[in-house]
Amino acid sequence: MLYNSTQNAAEKVEAAQAISQGISKDGGLFVPQEFPKYDEATFKALLKEDYRGRAKKVFSDFLTDFTDDEIADCVEKAYTEEKFGGSNPAPIAYTKLNGRPLNILELWHGPTCAFKDMALQILPHLLTKSLKKTYDGKDAVILVATSGDTGKAALEGFKDVEHTKIIVFYPVNGVSPMQKHQMNTQEGANVKVCAIKGNFDDAQTGVKKIFTTPEISEKLAENNMLFSSANSINWGRLLPQIVYYISAYCDLVNDGKIAFGDKINVVVPTGNFGNILASYYASLMGLPINKFICASNSNNVLTDFINTGVYDKNRQFYTTMSPSMDILVSSNLERLLYKLSGDSDETTRAWMNALKTEGRYEVTDEVKALMQEKFFGGFCDDGQTQATINRLFKEDNYLCDTHTAVAVNVYEQYVAKTGDTTPSIIASTASPYKFSRSVLEAVSPDGILPVNEFDMVDKLNELTGMPVPAPLANLKDKKARFSDVTEANEMPAYVLKALSID
């Protein structure tokens, strides 16, 4: 299978090249030229497999320049019971709210307690194999912009991986205390962490600029290095996310929650659009999805876009209690637009250029109609988020984090507006203990909060009885290794300094 750039369809590369490079030289994103089609027989075969077996099947259909043994090696090393606390890395919790069943796909049982582990535990294995196929002998410099969870998951996945170095940038006031402590205590000889004065969009724009600056790439080449990415702009990050939607459907069938062939809805708390895009890609392969419900917080640029066809980042930016969604430029939306425009690189490039120069673009009526046929956009604020956490805990003793609560709230809005009661998968993206202050505020009867973040974790555990994940419990006594802070426009200089390149 070949991949081309969303902004230059003439560029055609194999999977290993797309994963190694991360982003196209023209700034576009790599996308498959076609999608494998899964028929009834394929899905019935997948019903009999465990998560790892399903992953091997999906990877083999997209990574055609990898051998079966290489794919099996990646999968078996990534999705171990030790790392994910059980045989199924992505279990479904069956709960209810207002008497309505909720199928919550828990994607946070990995080593950093966030859904990014589902991709970032396997990406280092995919990348190192890709480098041997394409750039043998070079070291990869992984640049990451994070709104919280990607940073820690990438650091954990790439720590001490041979022939890689990783530098993570996060907004200094735009992540939770737990997320910040996770990143700044990261171990590993090949890792660096730096806060930037600005928001996530500033960090993301800075990383993209570094990728596409020839002078910096030339300096790396002189030192036998090349840039790559662990953000979901990298195909190796996005591909593993397709797997858990296909696997979840199989689990729903096997658990008797739906009949084979039934349609489902997918509800995703959405920031950079990669997670929900993966479910859309699964549908292109044959997964029977009726509606994609895109849930946003007060940074509701995606809600407005789905409803109007106008993407406009020229708006107030809010720092919310669901920081992984505090994003005004959703990078992976470019991949959806490419597909909805009939794989038109020219059209996609024009929209992306307009976003860079004017901060907005408007899609055609045809593309808007295609989008609205499949996607529903909704949002809620912090007050509604905490109220949802409270109701879910009181009604069924289920504790969720702030991002999952946004998804549940928007799902309720969708059902109320449409009357559609199609069984739905709700993506749960983080452990509630990663956002202990906000979750504790939502469920604490006395409203009295400890001052220390880890004391909040202990109180939340005492109040709810929900076990504290070991990776978070073990953080308490770790001392910070990093305290670097820089301006967004100084990111290129920081990268060269961190790599000891003049």
Side-chain angles (χ1 to χ4, degrees), residues 264-278:
I264 59 169
N265 292 333
V266 171
V267 190
V268 186
T270 308
N272 221 18
F273 209 79
N275 200 352
I276 196 167
L277 179 70

Side-chain angles (χ1 to χ4, degrees), residues 119-242:
L120 283 165
Q121 280 301 302
I122 196 166
L123 178 60
H125 303 293
L126 294 174
L127 181 60
T128 52
K129 285 179 170 55
S130 295
L131 285 170
K132 288 180 180 179
K133 294 173 183 291
T134 54
Y135 296 101
D136 195 21
K138 287 198 173 186
D139 289 349
V141 178
I142 315 298
L143 296 185
V144 178
T146 184
S147 53
D149 287 333
T150 291
K152 174 59 180 178
L155 289 163
E156 188 66 25
F158 279 96
K159 71 175 181 182
D160 295 326
V161 172
E162 289 186 356
H163 301 296
T164 67
K165 300 178 187 295
I166 179 167
I167 304 173
V168 168
F169 295 96
Y170 70 90
V172 65
N173 295 317
V175 300
S176 77
M178 182 67 77
Q179 290 172 317
K180 184 180 293 187
H181 194 63
Q182 280 187 299
M183 288 187 282
N184 287 338
T185 57
Q186 178 64 47
E187 299 173 349
N190 63 334
V191 304
K192 280 283 188 180
V193 181
C194 183
I196 68 153
K197 297 176 182 177
N199 57 39
F200 169 77
D201 291 324
D202 297 320
Q204 182 168 248
T205 299
V207 165
K208 285 184 177 179
K209 185 175 181 180
I210 294 169
F211 265 99
T212 54
T213 302
E215 295 82 1
I216 300 178
S217 297
E218 288 169 7
K219 287 188 176 183
L220 259 69
E222 291 170 4
N223 288 270
N224 209 34
M225 301 177 187
L226 76 157
F227 281 131
S228 191
S229 174
N231 282 90
S232 54
I233 57 175
N234 190 317
W235 176 246
R237 251 290 305 278
L238 190 57
L239 175 58
Q241 296 179 276
I242 296 173

Side-chain angles (χ1 to χ4, degrees), residues 189-499:
N190 63 334
V191 304
K192 280 283 188 180
V193 181
C194 183
I196 68 153
K197 297 176 182 177
N199 57 39
F200 169 77
D201 291 324
D202 297 320
Q204 182 168 248
T205 299
V207 165
K208 285 184 177 179
K209 185 175 181 180
I210 294 169
F211 265 99
T212 54
T213 302
E215 295 82 1
I216 300 178
S217 297
E218 288 169 7
K219 287 188 176 183
L220 259 69
E222 291 170 4
N223 288 270
N224 209 34
M225 301 177 187
L226 76 157
F227 281 131
S228 191
S229 174
N231 282 90
S232 54
I233 57 175
N234 190 317
W235 176 246
R237 251 290 305 278
L238 190 57
L239 175 58
Q241 296 179 276
I242 296 173
V243 176
Y244 53 69
Y245 289 108
I246 292 175
S247 185
Y249 186 87
C250 293
D251 289 345
L252 286 176
V253 173
N254 287 338
D255 292 344
K257 301 298 180 180
I258 60 173
F260 182 82
D262 283 354
K263 286 191 174 184
I264 59 169
N265 292 333
V266 171
V267 190
V268 186
T270 308
N272 221 18
F273 209 79
N275 200 352
I276 196 167
L277 179 70
S279 66
Y280 174 75
Y281 279 175
S283 75
L284 296 182
M285 298 165 64
L287 193 68
I289 299 177
N290 172 58
K291 204 78 171 183
F292 304 91
I293 301 167
C294 179
S296 301
N297 60 22
S298 295
N299 294 295
N300 59 346
V301 63
L302 286 169
T303 305
D304 288 347
F305 175 62
I306 291 169
N307 291 331
T308 68
V310 176
Y311 195 101
D312 191 346
K313 71 170 186 175
N314 302 309
R315 60 179 65 211
Q316 183 173 349
F317 178 88
Y318 296 96
T319 300
T320 75
M321 63 178 57
S322 46
S324 297
M325 301 157 67
D326 290 349
I327 295 172
L328 294 181
V329 180
S330 301
S331 288
N332 275 291
L333 186 61
E334 180 175 339
R335 284 181 161 120
L336 176 68
L337 294 175
Y338 178 79
K339 179 55 64 176
L340 294 183
S341 64
D343 295 352
S344 172
D345 55 347
E346 181 180 358
T347 302
T348 306
R349 185 169 61 250
W351 286 330
M352 294 303 102
N353 286 338
L355 185 63
K356 289 177 186 176
T357 58
E358 303 169 26
R360 72 186 301 277
Y361 59 85
E362 182 173 2
V363 298
T364 63
D365 289 343
E366 181 183 7
V367 168
K368 182 172 72 172
L370 288 171
M371 179 172 60
Q372 291 177 345
E373 179 185 350
K374 282 294 184 181
F375 286 82
F376 173 90
F379 75 99
C380 69
D381 61 22
D382 282 354
Q384 294 168 302
T385 300
Q386 286 192 314
T388 303
I389 294 171
N390 179 280
R391 287 191 296 119
L392 195 53
F393 181 67
K394 281 187 174 179
E395 290 187 27
D396 205 39
N397 203 39
Y398 186 82
L399 192 67
C400 73
D401 86 299
T402 50
H403 304 76
T404 307
V406 170
V408 172
N409 184 282
V410 171
Y411 172 63
E412 289 187 292
Q413 294 179 34
Y414 171 77
V415 173
K417 184 173 182 178
T418 66
D420 180 12
T421 58
T422 300
S424 299
I425 291 173
I426 298 175
S428 178
T429 55
S431 163
Y433 286 106
K434 293 199 75 167
F435 307 92
S436 53
R437 172 183 288 276
S438 299
V439 176
L440 186 56
E441 285 177 343
V443 300
S444 176
D446 57 23
I448 301 173
L449 302 183
V451 175
N452 180 274
E453 179 79 9
F454 289 98
D455 290 339
M456 293 181 197
V457 169
D458 292 339
K459 184 171 181 179
L460 187 59
N461 169 249
E462 179 183 345
L463 180 65
T464 66
M466 181 177 179
V468 181
L472 300 184
N474 295 338
L475 274 177
K476 190 171 186 177
D477 298 323
K478 286 191 175 183
K479 302 297 183 183
R481 293 178 60 202
F482 304 101
S483 58
D484 296 347
V485 181
T486 191
E487 300 282 351
N489 60 4
E490 293 296 322
M491 288 168 60
Y494 179 87
V495 167
L496 295 178
K497 182 179 178 181
L499 297 172

